[in-house]
Amino acid sequence: MKMSVVEIAEKVRKGSLRAVDVANETLKQIEAQNSSIHAFLHVDAKGLLEQAAAVDAKRDRGEALGPLAGVPVALKDALCAKGMPATSGSKILEGYVPLYDATVVAKLRAADALLPGKTNMDEFAMGSSGENSAYGPIKNPWDTARTPGGSSSGSAASVAGRMTYAALGTDTGGSIRQPASLSGIVGVKPTYGRVSRYGAIAFASSLDQIGPFASDVRGAARILRTISGHDPHDATSLNAPVENFEAACEKSPRGLRIGVPEEYFAAGLSKEVRASVEKAIARLESDGCTIKKVHLPHTKYAVATYYVIATAEASSNLARYDGVRYGLRVEPNRDLKAMYGATRDAGFGAEVKRRILLGTFVLSAGYYDAYYLKAQKVRTLIRRDFDNAFNEVDAICSPTAPTTAFRIGEKSDDPLAMYLSDIYTLPASLAGICGISVPCGMGAGNLPIGLQIIAPALREETMFTLAAACETHCPPVSPSGS
Ligand code: GLN
C-alpha cells in the first residue's frame, strides 16, 4: 500500500486503478493486521465492496467522479454512519445503529470515498492512549507493546499500519494531533466550526471538532476540504468560504513568521522530541521562514481549565444515556430511577464515571463560580495569549506531545500523568484555533515524533503550507517501510 490519498483518487478518476481493487487490498490488510492491532471495531466488507463497485460503474458510465474517488476512509466510532453500529467505545451504546449519516459521512459518500468501517477509541473520546475503550486497547503498529495515542486510537493506528489510506477522528483536546504524532502520520484539528459536528457523538460540545488523518499532508488537505463547510444542522458551524487547502501545500513557506513558545519547551519535554522539533523548525528557517520567540503565559493553566470545562460539558452531554433511548438497558423491571442507575453503572467505564462526577461537581450550586466560571475566564485569557502572539507571527510551532509512544499500561493507573500527555494540544483547542501534527523525525526504538503547527482561526492554509514544507524534509514512512 504505497499510494497516497491523492494518487488513488486521481488514478481511479482516470481509470488506471479500479476502486474494487483498492477495496480488496484494504480488506486484505485489515484481515492481516486487525487481530494484533485492534484498530477496527466494525468492518463493513460488504458495504465497502458495493461502494467500490458503484464508483467503478459510475466511471464506466462516463460520469465525473468526486475528489475522493475510491479512497477508503475509516471512521472513528464516535461518528454516525447509517446502518453501521456506533458505540463511541462504550458499552452503554452497544447495539446502537444510527439511522442517519453524520454530515461528514454524507460528504465523504458524495465525494465517492469508500467506508471500510468504524475504529476503536477511548470511551466517549476520553483518554490519550486507547486504553479506556470498553472493547480493549489498540496497539501501535510501530511497536505493539505501545499505545498509538488517543482518543482516536484506531483511526491513527489503521492509517499508520496502512490498513486504510485515511481516517476521520475527533479532537476535543488533542485526540487527532496526539495520536497522529505517536503513530507517525498527519492529523488535523480544524478551526472550531470549520467542520459540522452533526452526527458526532458529543463529548464536550464547545471543543469537539472532526478532522482527518492521512499518511501525507496533501491527503489530509483534500479530505479536510471535502468535509468542511457550513451545515444548517450544526448551529456552531461557520459560514465561511472553504479554501483550496491542497493548493496551499504547493505554496512556498518563504517569508512566513513562525513563533516558538518558550512555555512549550519546558520541563516534561523529552530530549529527543525537543531535538527533533528544534531541527524541524531550523529546516523551516532554512526554507526562508523567520523564527521568533513568543509567549503564551497562561499555558500552565490549560490542563486544569480543560478538565473543568470538558468534564462539565461531558456530564451534561452524557446525561442522555439512561437506558431508555439508546443501547444498553439493565434491570428493566425495577423502578425508573433504579433502572437509570443500574444501566449507567454497568454501561460506563471508570474514566467516564470519574469525569461525570467531576463535571457534575464543578457545575453544582456553590461551586459553579469557583470552578466553572473561573475556568471560562481563564479560557479567554488563553485565547488572548494566542491573539497576542498572532499579532507578531503567522503560525506557532511546537512539539505535539512531550514523548514518543508510551507503553500500554505505563500511565493507565495515573490519570494526571495521562492528562499531561495533552499539554501542548489543549491550549489550541481551548482557543478554538486550528492545528496539525506532521511527522518530523524518529526517536529511540524507531518511534515517530510529530511537529505541531498551530495557526489562527480559519488560517488552515498557512498551517498546510508549513506542514507540506516540513514533509519535503521528512517524507511519509510506515512501520513496514512502504
Ligand atoms: N486526552 C484528552 C482527554 O482525555 C483529549 C481527548 C480528546 O481530544 N477527545 O480528554
Side-chain angles (χ1 to χ4, degrees), residues 76 125-128 150-151 170-176 203 306-307 355 419 422 426:
K76 185 178 186 177
M126 297 174 186
S128 309
S151 66
T170 63
D171 188 312
T172 304
S175 279
I176 293 174
F203 161 14
Y306 171 84
Y307 279 95
R355 296 196 188 197
Y419 295 173
D422 297 310
L426 294 174

PDB file of all heavy atoms in Angstrom, residues 76 125-128 150-151 170-176 203 306-307 355 419 422 426, ligand 1:
ATOM      1  N   LYS A  76     -13.917   7.037  12.960  1.00  0.00           N
ATOM      2  CA  LYS A  76     -13.901   6.840  14.410  1.00  0.00           C
ATOM      3  C   LYS A  76     -15.299   6.454  14.856  1.00  0.00           C
ATOM      4  O   LYS A  76     -16.297   6.988  14.331  1.00  0.00           O
ATOM      5  CB  LYS A  76     -13.459   8.155  15.078  1.00  0.00           C
ATOM      6  CG  LYS A  76     -13.273   8.073  16.577  1.00  0.00           C
ATOM      7  CD  LYS A  76     -12.779   9.409  17.150  1.00  0.00           C
ATOM      8  CE  LYS A  76     -12.442   9.328  18.624  1.00  0.00           C
ATOM      9  NZ  LYS A  76     -11.909  10.599  19.165  1.00  0.00           N
ATOM     10  N   ALA A 125     -14.345   9.235  23.762  1.00  0.00           N
ATOM     11  CA  ALA A 125     -13.184  10.079  23.402  1.00  0.00           C
ATOM     12  C   ALA A 125     -12.458  10.639  24.615  1.00  0.00           C
ATOM     13  O   ALA A 125     -11.746  11.640  24.514  1.00  0.00           O
ATOM     14  CB  ALA A 125     -13.601  11.197  22.441  1.00  0.00           C
ATOM     15  N   MET A 126     -12.621   9.973  25.753  1.00  0.00           N
ATOM     16  CA  MET A 126     -11.957  10.440  26.978  1.00  0.00           C
ATOM     17  C   MET A 126     -10.710   9.604  27.213  1.00  0.00           C
ATOM     18  O   MET A 126     -10.782   8.483  27.737  1.00  0.00           O
ATOM     19  CB  MET A 126     -12.902  10.315  28.166  1.00  0.00           C
ATOM     20  CG  MET A 126     -14.125  11.193  27.989  1.00  0.00           C
ATOM     21  SD  MET A 126     -15.303  10.904  29.317  1.00  0.00           S
ATOM     22  CE  MET A 126     -16.666  11.916  28.755  1.00  0.00           C
ATOM     23  N   GLY A 127      -9.576  10.148  26.808  1.00  0.00           N
ATOM     24  CA  GLY A 127      -8.332   9.417  27.002  1.00  0.00           C
ATOM     25  C   GLY A 127      -7.285   9.822  25.995  1.00  0.00           C
ATOM     26  O   GLY A 127      -7.564  10.589  25.060  1.00  0.00           O
ATOM     27  N   SER A 128      -6.085   9.324  26.185  1.00  0.00           N
ATOM     28  CA  SER A 128      -4.954   9.685  25.330  1.00  0.00           C
ATOM     29  C   SER A 128      -4.175   8.453  24.887  1.00  0.00           C
ATOM     30  O   SER A 128      -3.047   8.564  24.415  1.00  0.00           O
ATOM     31  CB  SER A 128      -3.990  10.594  26.092  1.00  0.00           C
ATOM     32  OG  SER A 128      -4.690  11.666  26.679  1.00  0.00           O
ATOM     33  N   GLY A 150      -4.289   8.609  21.711  1.00  0.00           N
ATOM     34  CA  GLY A 150      -5.752   8.574  21.716  1.00  0.00           C
ATOM     35  C   GLY A 150      -6.324   9.971  21.841  1.00  0.00           C
ATOM     36  O   GLY A 150      -5.596  10.929  21.907  1.00  0.00           O
ATOM     37  N   SER A 151      -7.618  10.108  21.801  1.00  0.00           N
ATOM     38  CA  SER A 151      -8.562   9.022  21.840  1.00  0.00           C
ATOM     39  C   SER A 151      -8.902   8.404  20.475  1.00  0.00           C
ATOM     40  O   SER A 151      -9.508   7.341  20.436  1.00  0.00           O
ATOM     41  CB  SER A 151      -9.861   9.526  22.461  1.00  0.00           C
ATOM     42  OG  SER A 151     -10.464  10.496  21.628  1.00  0.00           O
ATOM     43  N   THR A 170     -11.990  12.561  15.981  1.00  0.00           N
ATOM     44  CA  THR A 170     -12.469  13.781  16.623  1.00  0.00           C
ATOM     45  C   THR A 170     -11.383  14.244  17.585  1.00  0.00           C
ATOM     46  O   THR A 170     -10.612  13.435  18.113  1.00  0.00           O
ATOM     47  CB  THR A 170     -13.778  13.582  17.408  1.00  0.00           C
ATOM     48  OG1 THR A 170     -13.537  12.640  18.475  1.00  0.00           O
ATOM     49  CG2 THR A 170     -14.904  13.071  16.534  1.00  0.00           C
ATOM     50  N   ASP A 171     -11.308  15.568  17.749  1.00  0.00           N
ATOM     51  CA  ASP A 171     -10.276  16.171  18.591  1.00  0.00           C
ATOM     52  C   ASP A 171     -10.973  17.175  19.505  1.00  0.00           C
ATOM     53  O   ASP A 171     -11.581  18.133  19.039  1.00  0.00           O
ATOM     54  CB  ASP A 171      -9.242  16.861  17.690  1.00  0.00           C
ATOM     55  CG  ASP A 171      -8.007  17.355  18.425  1.00  0.00           C
ATOM     56  OD1 ASP A 171      -8.173  18.012  19.474  1.00  0.00           O
ATOM     57  OD2 ASP A 171      -6.872  17.105  17.948  1.00  0.00           O
ATOM     58  N   THR A 172     -10.917  16.911  20.787  1.00  0.00           N
ATOM     59  CA  THR A 172     -11.541  17.782  21.789  1.00  0.00           C
ATOM     60  C   THR A 172     -10.453  18.537  22.545  1.00  0.00           C
ATOM     61  O   THR A 172     -10.601  19.707  22.875  1.00  0.00           O
ATOM     62  CB  THR A 172     -12.399  16.917  22.738  1.00  0.00           C
ATOM     63  OG1 THR A 172     -13.345  16.185  21.958  1.00  0.00           O
ATOM     64  CG2 THR A 172     -13.118  17.752  23.785  1.00  0.00           C
ATOM     65  N   GLY A 173      -9.350  17.813  22.793  1.00  0.00           N
ATOM     66  CA  GLY A 173      -8.208  18.432  23.465  1.00  0.00           C
ATOM     67  C   GLY A 173      -6.890  17.931  22.899  1.00  0.00           C
ATOM     68  O   GLY A 173      -5.825  18.179  23.472  1.00  0.00           O
ATOM     69  N   GLY A 174      -6.959  17.190  21.798  1.00  0.00           N
ATOM     70  CA  GLY A 174      -5.724  16.666  21.214  1.00  0.00           C
ATOM     71  C   GLY A 174      -5.885  15.319  20.551  1.00  0.00           C
ATOM     72  O   GLY A 174      -4.928  14.756  20.025  1.00  0.00           O
ATOM     73  N   SER A 175      -7.104  14.799  20.550  1.00  0.00           N
ATOM     74  CA  SER A 175      -7.330  13.398  20.150  1.00  0.00           C
ATOM     75  C   SER A 175      -7.092  13.061  18.693  1.00  0.00           C
ATOM     76  O   SER A 175      -7.166  11.892  18.325  1.00  0.00           O
ATOM     77  CB  SER A 175      -8.744  12.980  20.525  1.00  0.00           C
ATOM     78  OG  SER A 175      -8.781  12.631  21.876  1.00  0.00           O
ATOM     79  N   ILE A 176      -6.823  14.050  17.847  1.00  0.00           N
ATOM     80  CA  ILE A 176      -6.342  13.741  16.494  1.00  0.00           C
ATOM     81  C   ILE A 176      -4.832  13.989  16.430  1.00  0.00           C
ATOM     82  O   ILE A 176      -4.063  13.147  15.959  1.00  0.00           O
ATOM     83  CB  ILE A 176      -7.072  14.599  15.425  1.00  0.00           C
ATOM     84  CG1 ILE A 176      -8.557  14.210  15.349  1.00  0.00           C
ATOM     85  CG2 ILE A 176      -6.407  14.430  14.059  1.00  0.00           C
ATOM     86  CD1 ILE A 176      -9.402  15.074  14.430  1.00  0.00           C
ATOM     87  N   PHE A 203     -18.852  14.809  23.197  1.00  0.00           N
ATOM     88  CA  PHE A 203     -18.103  14.706  24.444  1.00  0.00           C
ATOM     89  C   PHE A 203     -18.193  16.081  25.115  1.00  0.00           C
ATOM     90  O   PHE A 203     -18.914  16.262  26.103  1.00  0.00           O
ATOM     91  CB  PHE A 203     -16.676  14.239  24.131  1.00  0.00           C
ATOM     92  CG  PHE A 203     -15.624  14.470  25.180  1.00  0.00           C
ATOM     93  CD1 PHE A 203     -15.930  14.806  26.501  1.00  0.00           C
ATOM     94  CD2 PHE A 203     -14.273  14.327  24.852  1.00  0.00           C
ATOM     95  CE1 PHE A 203     -14.934  15.007  27.448  1.00  0.00           C
ATOM     96  CE2 PHE A 203     -13.274  14.526  25.801  1.00  0.00           C
ATOM     97  CZ  PHE A 203     -13.605  14.880  27.091  1.00  0.00           C
ATOM     98  N   TYR A 306      -9.055  22.958  30.998  1.00  0.00           N
ATOM     99  CA  TYR A 306      -9.683  21.964  30.117  1.00  0.00           C
ATOM    100  C   TYR A 306     -10.462  20.936  30.928  1.00  0.00           C
ATOM    101  O   TYR A 306     -11.599  20.590  30.584  1.00  0.00           O
ATOM    102  CB  TYR A 306      -8.605  21.270  29.273  1.00  0.00           C
ATOM    103  CG  TYR A 306      -9.125  20.092  28.484  1.00  0.00           C
ATOM    104  CD1 TYR A 306      -9.738  20.266  27.250  1.00  0.00           C
ATOM    105  CD2 TYR A 306      -9.017  18.795  28.979  1.00  0.00           C
ATOM    106  CE1 TYR A 306     -10.219  19.180  26.532  1.00  0.00           C
ATOM    107  CE2 TYR A 306      -9.499  17.701  28.273  1.00  0.00           C
ATOM    108  CZ  TYR A 306     -10.102  17.899  27.047  1.00  0.00           C
ATOM    109  OH  TYR A 306     -10.587  16.822  26.345  1.00  0.00           O
ATOM    110  N   TYR A 307      -9.881  20.441  32.016  1.00  0.00           N
ATOM    111  CA  TYR A 307     -10.549  19.369  32.767  1.00  0.00           C
ATOM    112  C   TYR A 307     -11.725  19.866  33.601  1.00  0.00           C
ATOM    113  O   TYR A 307     -12.500  19.059  34.092  1.00  0.00           O
ATOM    114  CB  TYR A 307      -9.539  18.535  33.570  1.00  0.00           C
ATOM    115  CG  TYR A 307      -8.908  17.525  32.637  1.00  0.00           C
ATOM    116  CD1 TYR A 307      -7.704  17.784  32.006  1.00  0.00           C
ATOM    117  CD2 TYR A 307      -9.598  16.363  32.302  1.00  0.00           C
ATOM    118  CE1 TYR A 307      -7.169  16.898  31.081  1.00  0.00           C
ATOM    119  CE2 TYR A 307      -9.079  15.474  31.379  1.00  0.00           C
ATOM    120  CZ  TYR A 307      -7.866  15.739  30.776  1.00  0.00           C
ATOM    121  OH  TYR A 307      -7.376  14.858  29.846  1.00  0.00           O
ATOM    122  N   ARG A 355     -15.183  11.435  35.148  1.00  0.00           N
ATOM    123  CA  ARG A 355     -15.427  12.743  34.523  1.00  0.00           C
ATOM    124  C   ARG A 355     -16.853  13.227  34.758  1.00  0.00           C
ATOM    125  O   ARG A 355     -17.086  14.420  34.914  1.00  0.00           O
ATOM    126  CB  ARG A 355     -15.098  12.669  33.048  1.00  0.00           C
ATOM    127  CG  ARG A 355     -13.620  12.399  32.867  1.00  0.00           C
ATOM    128  CD  ARG A 355     -13.167  12.697  31.489  1.00  0.00           C
ATOM    129  NE  ARG A 355     -11.790  12.262  31.291  1.00  0.00           N
ATOM    130  CZ  ARG A 355     -11.036  12.672  30.304  1.00  0.00           C
ATOM    131  NH1 ARG A 355     -11.509  13.530  29.436  1.00  0.00           N
ATOM    132  NH2 ARG A 355      -9.807  12.228  30.182  1.00  0.00           N
ATOM    133  N   TYR A 419      -3.197  12.855  31.644  1.00  0.00           N
ATOM    134  CA  TYR A 419      -3.715  14.168  31.238  1.00  0.00           C
ATOM    135  C   TYR A 419      -2.577  15.062  30.724  1.00  0.00           C
ATOM    136  O   TYR A 419      -2.774  15.896  29.845  1.00  0.00           O
ATOM    137  CB  TYR A 419      -4.423  14.875  32.413  1.00  0.00           C
ATOM    138  CG  TYR A 419      -5.684  14.180  32.927  1.00  0.00           C
ATOM    139  CD1 TYR A 419      -6.335  14.639  34.072  1.00  0.00           C
ATOM    140  CD2 TYR A 419      -6.237  13.088  32.260  1.00  0.00           C
ATOM    141  CE1 TYR A 419      -7.485  14.019  34.559  1.00  0.00           C
ATOM    142  CE2 TYR A 419      -7.384  12.460  32.744  1.00  0.00           C
ATOM    143  CZ  TYR A 419      -8.003  12.925  33.884  1.00  0.00           C
ATOM    144  OH  TYR A 419      -9.136  12.309  34.362  1.00  0.00           O
ATOM    145  N   ASP A 422      -1.358  15.640  26.928  1.00  0.00           N
ATOM    146  CA  ASP A 422      -2.035  16.570  26.006  1.00  0.00           C
ATOM    147  C   ASP A 422      -1.671  18.021  26.273  1.00  0.00           C
ATOM    148  O   ASP A 422      -2.336  18.935  25.790  1.00  0.00           O
ATOM    149  CB  ASP A 422      -3.552  16.443  26.149  1.00  0.00           C
ATOM    150  CG  ASP A 422      -4.026  15.077  25.760  1.00  0.00           C
ATOM    151  OD1 ASP A 422      -3.650  14.629  24.676  1.00  0.00           O
ATOM    152  OD2 ASP A 422      -4.755  14.453  26.552  1.00  0.00           O
ATOM    153  N   LEU A 426      -3.906  20.952  24.207  1.00  0.00           N
ATOM    154  CA  LEU A 426      -5.104  21.515  24.848  1.00  0.00           C
ATOM    155  C   LEU A 426      -5.278  23.019  24.600  1.00  0.00           C
ATOM    156  O   LEU A 426      -6.408  23.469  24.347  1.00  0.00           O
ATOM    157  CB  LEU A 426      -5.066  21.268  26.368  1.00  0.00           C
ATOM    158  CG  LEU A 426      -5.147  19.810  26.831  1.00  0.00           C
ATOM    159  CD1 LEU A 426      -4.955  19.730  28.337  1.00  0.00           C
ATOM    160  CD2 LEU A 426      -6.486  19.225  26.444  1.00  0.00           C
TER     161      LEU A 426
HETATM  162  N1  GLN B   1      -6.919  13.254  26.016  1.00  0.00           N
HETATM  163  C1  GLN B   1      -7.847  14.310  26.252  1.00  0.00           C
HETATM  164  C2  GLN B   1      -8.940  13.825  27.162  1.00  0.00           C
HETATM  165  O1  GLN B   1      -8.815  12.774  27.662  1.00  0.00           O
HETATM  166  C3  GLN B   1      -8.394  14.794  24.950  1.00  0.00           C
HETATM  167  C4  GLN B   1      -9.385  13.861  24.378  1.00  0.00           C
HETATM  168  C5  GLN B   1      -9.959  14.308  23.085  1.00  0.00           C
HETATM  169  O2  GLN B   1      -9.444  15.206  22.430  1.00  0.00           O
HETATM  170  N2  GLN B   1     -11.090  13.714  22.767  1.00  0.00           N
HETATM  171  O3  GLN B   1      -9.927  14.466  27.361  1.00  0.00           O
END
